[in-house]
Coordinates of all heavy atoms in Angstrom, one line a residue:
M68 N 4.1 -7.0 12.0 CA 4.2 -7.4 10.6 C 2.9 -7.2 10.0 O 1.8 -7.4 10.6 CB 4.6 -8.9 10.5 CG 4.7 -9.5 9.1 SD 5.9 -8.8 8.1 CE 7.4 -9.6 8.6
A69 N 2.9 -6.7 8.8 CA 1.7 -6.5 8.0 C 1.1 -7.8 7.5 O 1.8 -8.8 7.2 CB 2.0 -5.6 6.8
E70 N -0.2 -7.8 7.4 CA -0.9 -9.0 6.9 C -1.7 -8.5 5.7 O -2.3 -7.4 5.7 CB -1.9 -9.6 8.0 CG -1.1 -10.2 9.1 CD -2.1 -11.0 10.0 OE1 -3.1 -11.5 9.5 OE2 -1.8 -11.1 11.2
F71 N -1.8 -9.4 4.7 CA -2.5 -9.1 3.4 C -3.7 -10.0 3.3 O -3.4 -11.2 3.2 CB -1.6 -9.2 2.2 CG -0.5 -8.2 2.2 CD1 0.6 -8.2 3.1 CD2 -0.5 -7.2 1.3 CE1 1.6 -7.3 3.1 CE2 0.5 -6.2 1.2 CZ 1.5 -6.3 2.1
T72 N -4.9 -9.5 3.4 CA -6.1 -10.3 3.3 C -6.9 -10.0 2.1 O -7.2 -8.8 1.9 CB -7.0 -10.1 4.6 OG1 -6.2 -10.3 5.7 CG2 -8.2 -11.1 4.6
Q73 N -7.0 -10.9 1.2 CA -7.7 -10.6 -0.1 C -9.1 -11.1 -0.1 O -9.4 -12.3 0.3 CB -6.9 -11.3 -1.2 CG -5.5 -10.8 -1.2 CD -4.6 -11.3 -2.3 OE1 -5.1 -11.6 -3.4 NE2 -3.3 -11.4 -2.1
Q74 N -10.0 -10.2 -0.5 CA -11.4 -10.5 -0.6 C -11.9 -10.0 -2.0 O -12.0 -8.8 -2.2 CB -12.2 -9.8 0.5 CG -12.0 -10.3 1.8 CD -12.8 -9.5 2.9 OE1 -12.7 -8.3 3.0 NE2 -13.7 -10.3 3.6
G75 N -12.1 -10.9 -2.9 CA -12.4 -10.5 -4.3 C -11.4 -9.6 -4.9 O -10.2 -10.0 -5.0
S76 N -11.8 -8.4 -5.3 CA -10.8 -7.5 -6.0 C -10.2 -6.6 -5.0 O -9.4 -5.7 -5.4 CB -11.5 -6.7 -7.1 OG -12.5 -5.9 -6.5
I77 N -10.4 -6.8 -3.7 CA -9.8 -5.9 -2.7 C -8.8 -6.6 -1.8 O -9.1 -7.8 -1.3 CB -11.0 -5.3 -1.8 CG1 -11.9 -4.5 -2.6 CG2 -10.4 -4.4 -0.7 CD1 -13.1 -4.0 -1.9
C78 N -7.7 -6.0 -1.5 CA -6.7 -6.5 -0.6 C -6.7 -5.6 0.6 O -6.4 -4.4 0.5 CB -5.3 -6.7 -1.2 SG -4.1 -7.3 0.0
H79 N -6.9 -6.1 1.8 CA -6.8 -5.3 3.1 C -5.5 -5.5 3.7 O -5.0 -6.6 3.9 CB -7.9 -5.7 4.1 CG -9.3 -5.6 3.5 ND1 -10.0 -4.4 3.7 CD2 -10.0 -6.5 2.8 CE1 -11.2 -4.7 3.1 NE2 -11.2 -5.9 2.6
I80 N -4.7 -4.4 3.9 CA -3.4 -4.5 4.6 C -3.6 -4.1 6.0 O -4.2 -3.0 6.3 CB -2.4 -3.6 4.0 CG1 -2.2 -4.0 2.5 CG2 -1.0 -3.7 4.7 CD1 -1.1 -3.2 1.7
S81 N -3.3 -4.9 7.0 CA -3.4 -4.6 8.4 C -2.0 -4.8 9.1 O -1.1 -5.4 8.5 CB -4.4 -5.5 9.0 OG -4.0 -6.8 9.0
G82 N -1.9 -4.1 10.2 CA -0.6 -4.2 11.0 C 0.3 -3.0 10.7 O -0.2 -1.9 10.4
R83 N 1.6 -3.3 10.6 CA 2.6 -2.3 10.5 C 3.4 -2.5 9.2 O 3.7 -3.6 8.9 CB 3.6 -2.3 11.6 CG 3.0 -2.0 13.0 CD 4.0 -2.3 14.1 NE 5.2 -1.5 13.9 CZ 5.5 -0.3 14.3 NH1 4.5 0.4 15.0 NH2 6.6 0.2 14.1
L84 N 3.7 -1.4 8.5 CA 4.6 -1.4 7.4 C 5.8 -0.5 7.8 O 5.7 0.7 7.6 CB 4.0 -0.9 6.1 CG 3.1 -1.9 5.4 CD1 2.5 -1.3 4.1 CD2 4.0 -3.1 4.9
S85 N 6.8 -1.0 8.3 CA 8.0 -0.2 8.8 C 9.3 -0.8 8.3 O 9.3 -1.9 7.7 CB 8.0 0.0 10.3 OG 8.2 -1.2 10.9
Q86 N 10.3 -0.1 8.5 CA 11.6 -0.5 8.0 C 12.0 -1.8 8.5 O 12.7 -2.6 7.9 CB 12.6 0.6 8.5 CG 14.0 0.4 8.0 CD 15.0 1.4 8.5 OE1 14.6 2.4 9.2 NE2 16.2 1.3 8.1
E87 N 11.5 -2.2 9.7 CA 11.8 -3.5 10.3 C 11.1 -4.6 9.5 O 11.7 -5.8 9.4 CB 11.4 -3.6 11.7 CG 12.3 -2.7 12.7 CD 11.8 -1.3 12.7 OE1 10.6 -1.0 12.4 OE2 12.7 -0.4 12.9
E88 N 9.9 -4.4 9.0 CA 9.1 -5.4 8.4 C 9.4 -5.5 6.9 O 9.1 -6.6 6.3 CB 7.6 -5.2 8.6 CG 7.1 -5.4 10.0 CD 7.3 -4.2 11.0 OE1 7.5 -3.1 10.5 OE2 7.3 -4.5 12.2
I89 N 9.8 -4.5 6.3 CA 9.8 -4.4 4.8 C 10.8 -5.5 4.2 O 10.5 -6.1 3.2 CB 10.2 -3.0 4.3 CG1 9.1 -2.1 4.7 CG2 10.4 -3.0 2.8 CD1 7.7 -2.5 4.2
P90 N 12.0 -5.7 4.8 CA 12.9 -6.7 4.1 C 12.3 -8.0 3.9 O 12.4 -8.6 2.8 CB 14.1 -6.7 5.1 CG 14.1 -5.4 5.7 CD 12.7 -5.1 5.9
A91 N 11.5 -8.6 4.8 CA 10.9 -9.9 4.6 C 9.8 -9.8 3.6 O 9.6 -10.7 2.8 CB 10.3 -10.3 6.0
L92 N 9.0 -8.7 3.6 CA 8.0 -8.5 2.6 C 8.5 -8.3 1.2 O 7.9 -8.7 0.2 CB 7.1 -7.4 3.0 CG 6.2 -7.6 4.2 CD1 5.5 -6.3 4.6 CD2 5.2 -8.7 4.0
W93 N 9.6 -7.6 1.1 CA 10.2 -7.2 -0.2 C 10.5 -8.5 -1.1 O 10.2 -8.4 -2.2 CB 11.5 -6.4 0.0 CG 12.0 -5.8 -1.3 CD1 12.9 -6.3 -2.1 CD2 11.5 -4.6 -1.8 NE1 13.1 -5.4 -3.2 CE2 12.2 -4.3 -3.0 CE3 10.6 -3.6 -1.4 CZ2 12.0 -3.2 -3.8 CZ3 10.4 -2.5 -2.2 CH2 11.1 -2.3 -3.3
L94 N 10.9 -9.5 -0.5 CA 11.2 -10.7 -1.2 C 9.9 -11.3 -1.8 O 10.0 -12.0 -2.8 CB 11.9 -11.7 -0.3 CG 13.3 -11.3 0.2 CD1 13.8 -12.3 1.3 CD2 14.2 -11.1 -0.9
R95 N 8.8 -11.1 -1.2 CA 7.5 -11.6 -1.6 C 6.6 -10.6 -2.4 O 5.5 -10.9 -2.7 CB 6.7 -12.1 -0.4 CG 7.5 -13.2 0.4 CD 6.7 -13.7 1.6 NE 5.4 -13.1 1.7 CZ 4.8 -12.8 2.9 NH1 5.5 -13.0 4.0 NH2 3.6 -12.3 2.9
R96 N 7.1 -9.4 -2.7 CA 6.3 -8.3 -3.2 C 5.6 -8.7 -4.5 O 4.5 -8.2 -4.7 CB 7.1 -7.1 -3.4 CG 8.1 -7.1 -4.5 CD 9.0 -5.9 -4.4 NE 10.0 -5.9 -5.5 CZ 11.1 -6.6 -5.6 NH1 11.4 -7.4 -4.6 NH2 11.9 -6.5 -6.6
K97 N 6.2 -9.5 -5.3 CA 5.5 -9.9 -6.6 C 4.4 -10.9 -6.5 O 3.6 -11.1 -7.3 CB 6.5 -10.3 -7.6 CG 7.5 -9.1 -8.0 CD 8.4 -9.5 -9.0 CE 9.3 -8.3 -9.4 NZ 10.3 -8.6 -10.4
S98 N 4.4 -11.6 -5.3 CA 3.4 -12.6 -5.1 C 2.4 -12.3 -4.0 O 1.5 -13.1 -3.8 CB 4.1 -14.0 -4.7 OG 4.8 -13.8 -3.5
L99 N 2.5 -11.1 -3.4 CA 1.5 -10.8 -2.3 C 0.1 -10.5 -2.8 O -0.8 -10.8 -2.1 CB 2.1 -9.6 -1.6 CG 3.2 -9.8 -0.6 CD1 3.7 -8.5 -0.1 CD2 2.7 -10.7 0.5
L100 N 0.0 -10.0 -4.1 CA -1.3 -9.6 -4.6 C -1.6 -10.5 -5.8 O -0.8 -10.6 -6.7 CB -1.3 -8.2 -5.0 CG -1.0 -7.1 -4.0 CD1 -1.0 -5.7 -4.6 CD2 -1.9 -7.2 -2.8
N101 N -2.8 -11.1 -5.8 CA -3.1 -11.9 -6.9 C -3.6 -11.0 -8.0 O -3.8 -9.8 -7.8 CB -4.2 -13.0 -6.6 CG -5.5 -12.5 -6.2 OD1 -6.0 -11.5 -6.8 ND2 -6.1 -13.2 -5.2
R102 N -3.7 -11.5 -9.2 CA -4.0 -10.7 -10.4 C -5.4 -10.0 -10.4 O -5.7 -9.1 -11.1 CB -3.9 -11.5 -11.7 CG -2.4 -12.0 -11.9 CD -2.1 -12.5 -13.3 NE -2.3 -11.6 -14.3 CZ -1.5 -10.6 -14.7 NH1 -0.4 -10.4 -14.0 NH2 -1.8 -9.8 -15.7
E103 N -6.3 -10.5 -9.5 CA -7.7 -10.0 -9.4 C -7.7 -8.7 -8.6 O -8.7 -8.0 -8.7 CB -8.6 -11.0 -8.8 CG -8.9 -12.2 -9.8 CD -7.8 -13.2 -9.7 OE1 -7.3 -13.5 -8.7 OE2 -7.5 -13.8 -10.8
I104 N -6.7 -8.4 -7.8 CA -6.7 -7.3 -6.9 C -6.6 -6.0 -7.7 O -5.8 -5.8 -8.5 CB -5.5 -7.4 -5.9 CG1 -5.7 -8.6 -5.0 CG2 -5.5 -6.1 -5.1 CD1 -6.9 -8.7 -4.2
E105 N -7.6 -5.1 -7.4 CA -7.7 -3.8 -8.0 C -7.6 -2.6 -7.0 O -7.2 -1.5 -7.4 CB -9.0 -3.7 -8.8 CG -9.2 -4.6 -10.0 CD -10.5 -4.6 -10.6 OE1 -11.4 -3.8 -10.1 OE2 -10.8 -5.3 -11.5
V106 N -7.9 -3.0 -5.8 CA -7.9 -1.9 -4.7 C -7.2 -2.5 -3.5 O -7.4 -3.6 -3.1 CB -9.4 -1.6 -4.3 CG1 -9.4 -0.6 -3.2 CG2 -10.2 -1.1 -5.5
I107 N -6.4 -1.6 -2.9 CA -5.7 -1.9 -1.6 C -6.3 -1.0 -0.6 O -6.3 0.2 -0.7 CB -4.2 -1.8 -1.7 CG1 -3.6 -2.7 -2.7 CG2 -3.6 -1.9 -0.3 CD1 -2.1 -2.7 -2.8
D108 N -7.0 -1.6 0.4 CA -7.6 -0.9 1.5 C -6.6 -0.8 2.6 O -6.1 -1.8 3.2 CB -8.8 -1.7 2.0 CG -9.6 -1.0 3.1 OD1 -9.0 -0.3 3.9 OD2 -10.8 -1.2 3.1
L109 N -6.3 0.5 3.0 CA -5.3 0.8 3.9 C -5.9 1.1 5.3 O -5.1 1.5 6.2 CB -4.4 1.9 3.5 CG -3.7 1.7 2.1 CD1 -3.2 3.0 1.6 CD2 -2.6 0.7 2.2
S110 N -7.2 0.9 5.5 CA -7.8 1.3 6.7 C -7.4 0.6 8.0 O -7.5 1.1 9.1 CB -9.4 1.2 6.6 OG -9.7 -0.1 6.4
E111 N -6.9 -0.6 7.8 CA -6.4 -1.4 9.0 C -4.9 -1.3 9.2 O -4.4 -2.0 10.1 CB -6.9 -2.8 8.8 CG -8.4 -3.0 8.7 CD -8.8 -4.3 8.4 OE1 -8.2 -5.3 8.9 OE2 -9.9 -4.5 7.8
L112 N -4.3 -0.5 8.4 CA -2.8 -0.3 8.6 C -2.6 0.6 9.8 O -2.9 1.7 9.8 CB -2.2 0.3 7.3 CG -0.7 0.3 7.2 CD1 -0.1 -1.1 7.2 CD2 -0.3 1.0 5.9
S113 N -2.0 0.0 10.8 CA -1.9 0.8 12.1 C -0.7 1.8 12.1 O -0.7 2.8 12.8 CB -1.8 -0.2 13.3 OG -0.6 -1.0 13.2
Y114 N 0.3 1.5 11.3 CA 1.5 2.3 11.2 C 2.3 2.1 9.9 O 2.4 1.0 9.4 CB 2.4 2.0 12.4 CG 3.7 2.8 12.3 CD1 3.8 4.2 12.8 CD2 4.9 2.3 11.9 CE1 4.9 4.9 12.7 CE2 6.1 3.0 11.8 CZ 6.1 4.3 12.2 OH 7.2 5.0 12.1
S115 N 2.8 3.2 9.4 CA 3.7 3.1 8.3 C 4.7 4.2 8.4 O 4.5 5.3 8.8 CB 2.9 3.3 7.0 OG 3.8 3.2 5.9
D116 N 6.0 3.9 8.0 CA 7.0 4.9 7.9 C 7.4 5.1 6.5 O 6.7 4.6 5.6 CB 8.2 4.5 8.8 CG 8.9 3.2 8.4 OD1 8.6 2.7 7.3 OD2 9.7 2.7 9.2
S117 N 8.4 5.8 6.1 CA 8.8 6.0 4.7 C 9.1 4.7 4.0 O 8.8 4.6 2.8 CB 10.0 7.0 4.6 OG 11.1 6.5 5.3
A118 N 9.6 3.7 4.7 CA 9.9 2.4 4.0 C 8.5 1.8 3.7 O 8.4 1.1 2.6 CB 10.7 1.5 4.9
G119 N 7.6 1.9 4.5 CA 6.2 1.4 4.2 C 5.6 2.0 3.0 O 5.0 1.4 2.1
I120 N 5.7 3.3 2.9 CA 5.2 4.1 1.8 C 5.9 3.6 0.5 O 5.3 3.4 -0.5 CB 5.4 5.6 1.9 CG1 4.6 6.2 3.1 CG2 5.2 6.4 0.6 CD1 3.3 6.7 2.7
A121 N 7.2 3.5 0.6 CA 8.0 3.0 -0.6 C 7.5 1.6 -1.0 O 7.4 1.3 -2.2 CB 9.5 3.0 -0.3
F122 N 7.2 0.8 -0.1 CA 6.7 -0.6 -0.3 C 5.3 -0.5 -1.0 O 5.1 -1.2 -2.0 CB 6.7 -1.4 0.9 CG 6.3 -2.9 0.6 CD1 7.2 -3.7 0.1 CD2 5.0 -3.3 0.9 CE1 6.8 -5.0 -0.2 CE2 4.7 -4.6 0.6 CZ 5.6 -5.5 0.1
I123 N 4.4 0.3 -0.5 CA 3.1 0.5 -1.1 C 3.3 0.9 -2.5 O 2.6 0.4 -3.5 CB 2.3 1.5 -0.3 CG1 1.9 0.9 1.0 CG2 1.0 1.9 -1.1 CD1 1.3 1.9 2.0
L124 N 4.1 1.9 -2.8 CA 4.4 2.3 -4.2 C 5.0 1.3 -5.0 O 4.7 1.2 -6.3 CB 5.2 3.6 -4.2 CG 4.5 4.8 -3.6 CD1 5.5 6.0 -3.5 CD2 3.3 5.2 -4.3
E125 N 5.8 0.4 -4.5 CA 6.4 -0.7 -5.3 C 5.3 -1.7 -5.7 O 5.3 -2.2 -6.7 CB 7.5 -1.4 -4.4 CG 8.0 -2.7 -5.0 CD 8.7 -2.5 -6.4 OE1 9.1 -1.3 -6.7 OE2 9.0 -3.5 -7.0
L126 N 4.3 -1.9 -4.8 CA 3.2 -2.8 -5.2 C 2.5 -2.2 -6.4 O 2.1 -2.9 -7.3 CB 2.2 -2.9 -4.0 CG 2.7 -3.7 -2.8 CD1 1.6 -3.7 -1.7 CD2 3.1 -5.1 -3.1
M127 N 2.3 -0.9 -6.4 CA 1.7 -0.2 -7.6 C 2.6 -0.5 -8.8 O 2.0 -0.7 -9.9 CB 1.5 1.2 -7.4 CG 0.9 2.0 -8.5 SD 0.6 3.7 -8.2 CE -0.9 3.7 -7.3
S128 N 3.9 -0.3 -8.7 CA 4.8 -0.5 -9.8 C 4.7 -2.0 -10.3 O 4.7 -2.1 -11.5 CB 6.2 -0.2 -9.3 OG 7.1 -0.4 -10.3
V129 N 4.6 -2.9 -9.4 CA 4.5 -4.3 -9.9 C 3.3 -4.5 -10.6 O 3.3 -5.2 -11.7 CB 4.6 -5.3 -8.6 CG1 4.2 -6.6 -9.0 CG2 6.0 -5.2 -8.0
A130 N 2.1 -3.9 -10.2 CA 0.9 -4.1 -10.8 C 0.9 -3.4 -12.3 O 0.5 -4.0 -13.2 CB -0.3 -3.4 -10.0
R131 N 1.5 -2.2 -12.4 CA 1.7 -1.6 -13.6 C 2.5 -2.4 -14.6 O 2.3 -2.4 -15.8 CB 2.2 -0.2 -13.5 CG 1.2 0.8 -12.9 CD 1.8 2.2 -12.9 NE 0.8 3.1 -12.4 CZ 1.0 4.3 -11.9 NH1 2.3 4.7 -11.9 NH2 0.1 5.0 -11.5
A132 N 3.6 -3.0 -14.1 CA 4.4 -3.8 -15.0 C 3.7 -5.0 -15.5 O 4.0 -5.5 -16.6 CB 5.7 -4.3 -14.2
E133 N 2.7 -5.5 -14.8 CA 1.8 -6.6 -15.2 C 0.6 -6.1 -16.0 O -0.3 -6.8 -16.2 CB 1.3 -7.4 -14.0 CG 2.5 -8.1 -13.3 CD 2.1 -8.7 -12.0 OE1 0.9 -8.5 -11.5 OE2 2.9 -9.5 -11.4
K134 N 0.6 -4.7 -16.3 CA -0.5 -4.1 -17.1 C -1.8 -4.2 -16.3 O -2.9 -4.4 -16.9 CB -0.7 -4.8 -18.4 CG 0.6 -4.9 -19.3 CD 1.0 -3.5 -19.8 CE 2.0 -3.7 -20.9 NZ 3.3 -3.0 -20.5
R135 N -1.8 -4.0 -15.0 CA -3.0 -3.9 -14.1 C -3.0 -2.6 -13.5 O -2.1 -1.9 -13.2 CB -2.9 -5.0 -13.0 CG -2.8 -6.4 -13.5 CD -2.9 -7.4 -12.3 NE -1.7 -7.3 -11.5 CZ -1.8 -7.2 -10.1 NH1 -3.0 -7.2 -9.5 NH2 -0.7 -7.2 -9.4
S136 N -4.3 -2.1 -13.2 CA -4.4 -0.9 -12.5 C -4.6 -1.3 -11.0 O -5.2 -2.3 -10.6 CB -5.6 -0.1 -13.0 OG -6.8 -0.8 -12.8
L137 N -4.2 -0.4 -10.2 CA -4.3 -0.6 -8.7 C -4.5 0.7 -8.0 O -3.9 1.7 -8.4 CB -3.0 -1.2 -8.2 CG -2.9 -1.7 -6.8 CD1 -3.9 -2.9 -6.6 CD2 -1.5 -2.2 -6.5
S138 N -5.5 0.8 -7.1 CA -5.7 2.1 -6.4 C -5.7 1.7 -4.9 O -5.8 0.6 -4.5 CB -7.0 2.7 -6.8 OG -8.1 1.9 -6.5
F139 N -5.7 2.8 -4.1 CA -5.6 2.7 -2.7 C -6.7 3.4 -2.1 O -7.2 4.5 -2.6 CB -4.3 3.3 -2.2 CG -3.1 2.7 -2.8 CD1 -2.4 3.4 -3.8 CD2 -2.6 1.5 -2.3 CE1 -1.3 2.8 -4.4 CE2 -1.4 1.0 -2.9 CZ -0.8 1.6 -3.9
T140 N -7.3 2.9 -1.0 CA -8.4 3.6 -0.3 C -8.1 3.6 1.2 O -7.4 2.7 1.7 CB -9.8 2.9 -0.5 OG1 -9.7 1.6 0.0 CG2 -10.1 2.9 -2.0
S141 N -8.8 4.5 1.9 CA -8.9 4.5 3.3 C -7.6 4.6 4.1 O -7.4 3.8 5.1 CB -9.7 3.3 3.8 OG -10.9 3.2 3.2
A142 N -6.7 5.5 3.7 CA -5.5 5.7 4.5 C -5.8 6.3 5.8 O -6.7 7.1 6.0 CB -4.5 6.6 3.7
S143 N -5.0 5.9 6.9 CA -5.2 6.4 8.2 C -4.7 7.9 8.2 O -4.1 8.4 7.3 CB -4.3 5.7 9.2 OG -3.0 5.8 8.9
E144 N -5.0 8.6 9.3 CA -4.6 10.0 9.4 C -3.0 10.0 9.4 O -2.4 10.9 8.7 CB -5.1 10.5 10.7 CG -4.7 12.0 10.8 CD -5.4 12.7 12.1 OE1 -6.4 12.1 12.6 OE2 -4.8 13.6 12.6
Q145 N -2.4 9.1 10.1 CA -0.9 9.1 10.1 C -0.3 8.9 8.7 O 0.6 9.5 8.3 CB -0.5 7.9 11.0 CG 1.1 7.9 11.3 CD 1.8 6.8 10.4 OE1 1.2 5.8 10.0 NE2 3.0 7.0 10.2
L146 N -0.9 7.9 7.9 CA -0.4 7.7 6.6 C -0.7 8.9 5.7 O 0.1 9.2 4.8 CB -1.1 6.4 6.1 CG -0.6 5.9 4.7 CD1 0.9 5.7 4.7 CD2 -1.4 4.6 4.3
S147 N -1.9 9.5 5.9 CA -2.2 10.6 5.1 C -1.2 11.8 5.3 O -0.9 12.5 4.3 CB -3.6 11.1 5.4 OG -4.6 10.2 5.0
K148 N -0.8 11.9 6.5 CA 0.3 13.0 6.8 C 1.6 12.7 6.1 O 2.2 13.6 5.5 CB 0.5 13.1 8.3 CG -0.6 13.7 9.0 CD -0.3 13.8 10.5 CE -1.5 14.4 11.2 NZ -1.3 14.4 12.7
L149 N 1.9 11.4 6.0 CA 3.2 11.0 5.3 C 3.0 11.3 3.8 O 3.9 11.8 3.1 CB 3.5 9.6 5.5 CG 4.1 9.2 6.8 CD1 4.4 7.7 6.9 CD2 5.4 10.0 7.1
I150 N 1.8 11.0 3.2 CA 1.5 11.2 1.8 C 1.7 12.7 1.5 O 2.3 13.1 0.5 CB 0.1 10.7 1.5 CG1 0.0 9.2 1.5 CG2 -0.3 11.2 0.1 CD1 -1.4 8.7 1.5
D151 N 1.2 13.6 2.4 CA 1.3 15.0 2.2 C 2.7 15.4 2.4 O 3.3 16.2 1.6 CB 0.4 15.8 3.2 CG -1.1 15.6 2.8 OD1 -1.4 15.3 1.7 OD2 -1.9 15.8 3.7
L152 N 3.4 14.9 3.4 CA 4.8 15.3 3.7 C 5.7 15.0 2.6 O 6.6 15.8 2.2 CB 5.2 14.6 5.0 CG 6.7 14.9 5.4 CD1 6.9 16.3 5.9 CD2 7.1 13.9 6.5
Y153 N 5.5 13.9 2.0 CA 6.4 13.5 0.9 C 5.9 13.8 -0.5 O 6.5 13.5 -1.5 CB 6.7 11.9 0.9 CG 7.4 11.5 2.2 CD1 6.9 10.5 3.0 CD2 8.6 12.1 2.5 CE1 7.5 10.2 4.2 CE2 9.3 11.7 3.7 CZ 8.8 10.7 4.5 OH 9.4 10.3 5.6
D154 N 4.8 14.6 -0.5 CA 4.2 15.2 -1.8 C 3.9 14.0 -2.8 O 4.3 14.1 -3.9 CB 5.2 16.2 -2.4 CG 4.5 17.1 -3.4 OD1 3.3 17.3 -3.3 OD2 5.2 17.6 -4.3
L155 N 3.2 13.1 -2.2 CA 2.9 11.9 -3.0 C 1.4 11.8 -3.4 O 0.9 10.7 -3.8 CB 3.2 10.6 -2.3 CG 4.7 10.4 -2.0 CD1 4.9 9.2 -1.0 CD2 5.5 10.2 -3.3
E156 N 0.7 12.9 -3.4 CA -0.7 13.0 -3.7 C -1.0 12.4 -5.1 O -2.1 11.8 -5.3 CB -1.3 14.4 -3.6 CG -1.3 15.0 -2.2 CD 0.0 15.6 -1.8 OE1 1.0 15.6 -2.6 OE2 0.1 16.1 -0.7
L157 N -0.2 12.5 -6.1 CA -0.4 12.0 -7.4 C -0.5 10.5 -7.4 O -1.2 9.9 -8.3 CB 0.7 12.4 -8.4 CG 0.7 13.9 -8.7 CD1 2.0 14.2 -9.6 CD2 -0.5 14.4 -9.4
F158 N 0.1 9.8 -6.5 CA 0.1 8.4 -6.4 C -1.1 7.8 -5.6 O -1.5 6.7 -5.7 CB 1.4 7.8 -5.8 CG 2.6 8.2 -6.6 CD1 3.4 9.2 -6.3 CD2 2.9 7.4 -7.8 CE1 4.5 9.6 -7.1 CE2 4.0 7.8 -8.6 CZ 4.7 8.8 -8.2
F159 N -1.7 8.7 -4.7 CA -2.8 8.3 -3.9 C -4.0 9.1 -4.2 O -3.9 10.3 -4.2 CB -2.4 8.4 -2.4 CG -1.3 7.6 -1.9 CD1 0.0 7.9 -2.1 CD2 -1.6 6.3 -1.3 CE1 1.0 7.0 -1.7 CE2 -0.6 5.5 -0.9 CZ 0.7 5.9 -1.1
N160 N -5.1 8.4 -4.5 CA -6.3 9.2 -4.9 C -6.9 9.9 -3.6 O -6.5 9.6 -2.5 CB -7.3 8.3 -5.5 CG -7.8 7.1 -4.6 OD1 -7.6 7.2 -3.4 ND2 -8.3 6.1 -5.3
E161 N -7.8 10.8 -3.9 CA -8.4 11.6 -2.8 C -9.1 10.6 -1.7 O -9.0 11.0 -0.5 CB -9.4 12.6 -3.3 CG -8.7 13.8 -3.8 CD -7.8 14.5 -2.8 OE1 -8.3 14.8 -1.7 OE2 -6.7 14.8 -3.1
E162 N -9.7 9.6 -2.1 CA -10.4 8.7 -1.2 C -9.4 8.1 -0.2 O -9.6 8.0 1.0 CB -11.1 7.6 -1.9 CG -12.4 8.0 -2.5 CD -13.2 6.8 -3.1 OE1 -12.6 5.6 -3.1 OE2 -14.3 7.0 -3.6
A163 N -8.2 7.7 -0.7 CA -7.2 7.2 0.1 C -6.7 8.2 1.2 O -6.5 7.9 2.3 CB -6.0 6.7 -0.7
K164 N -6.5 9.4 0.7 CA -6.0 10.5 1.6 C -7.0 10.9 2.6 O -6.7 11.3 3.7 CB -5.5 11.7 0.8 CG -4.2 11.4 0.1 CD -3.8 12.7 -0.6 CE -4.0 13.9 0.2 NZ -4.2 15.1 -0.5
Q165 N -8.3 10.8 2.3 CA -9.3 11.2 3.2 C -9.8 10.1 4.1 O -10.7 10.3 4.9 CB -10.5 11.9 2.5 CG -10.1 13.1 1.7 CD -11.2 13.7 0.9 OE1 -12.3 13.1 0.8 NE2 -10.9 14.8 0.2
G166 N -9.3 9.0 4.0 CA -9.7 7.8 4.8 C -11.1 7.3 4.5 O -11.7 6.7 5.4
K167 N -11.5 7.4 3.3 CA -12.9 6.9 2.9 C -12.8 5.5 2.4 O -11.8 5.1 1.8 CB -13.5 7.8 1.9 CG -13.8 9.2 2.4 CD -14.5 10.0 1.4 CE -14.7 11.4 1.9 NZ -15.3 12.3 1.0

C-alpha cells in the first residue's frame, strides 16, 4: 500500500500504487493532499502499474479543480518507462521522468 508523507509543500509517495491498492485510495483521493502541497516526490514509489499512473493523474486533476498547481519529481526508472509507454510526457515534467 502506498503511503503519503507530507513535508511542507512536498508530498512523498512511497510503496506501491497498483490495481490492488487503488480502490482503497480512490475513496480518499480528494483528502490525501493538503492545499499546501505543490510537488509530489515519486522517488520512494517502489512500483506502479497503469492504475497507479491513472491515480497520480487524478491527483493532478483534483488539484487543478481546486485551482492549484501540482508537479511531480523523481520518478523511478520503472515509472519513467510507463510514462514513455503511455505517451504521458506532457503530464510529467522532465525532472520527474529523469528521476531528479
Side-chain angles (χ1 to χ4, degrees):
M68 177 66 79
E70 291 187 31
F71 293 72
T72 306
Q73 299 184 29
Q74 293 179 299
S76 64
I77 301 172
C78 179
H79 301 271
I80 302 178
S81 60
R83 297 173 53 89
L84 279 178
S85 67
Q86 185 175 0
E87 292 82 27
E88 288 86 18
I89 297 304
L92 292 171
W93 192 263
L94 299 173
R95 302 181 0 218
R96 71 189 181 280
K97 293 183 179 179
S98 63
L99 283 172
L100 304 177
N101 67 40
R102 295 194 61 79
E103 290 82 37
I104 297 300
E105 298 172 359
V106 177
I107 295 181
D108 183 326
L109 302 168
S110 64
E111 298 174 34
L112 190 62
S113 60
Y114 175 81
S115 180
D116 59 14
S117 59
I120 293 266
F122 185 76
I123 291 169
L124 293 175
E125 174 63 13
L126 292 177
M127 179 182 280
S128 177
V129 167
R131 284 185 179 163
E133 296 174 348
K134 307 287 190 243
R135 299 186 293 131
S136 65
L137 189 63
S138 63
F139 304 100
T140 63
S141 305
S143 67
E144 184 176 336
Q145 184 261 336
L146 185 56
S147 293
K148 287 180 182 179
L149 285 178
I150 292 168
D151 289 338
L152 177 68
Y153 296 123
D154 199 23
L155 296 172
E156 291 86 359
L157 292 175
F158 297 99
F159 293 86
N160 60 20
E161 280 303 308
E162 284 185 355
K164 286 182 40 204
Q165 295 174 1
K167 294 182 182 174

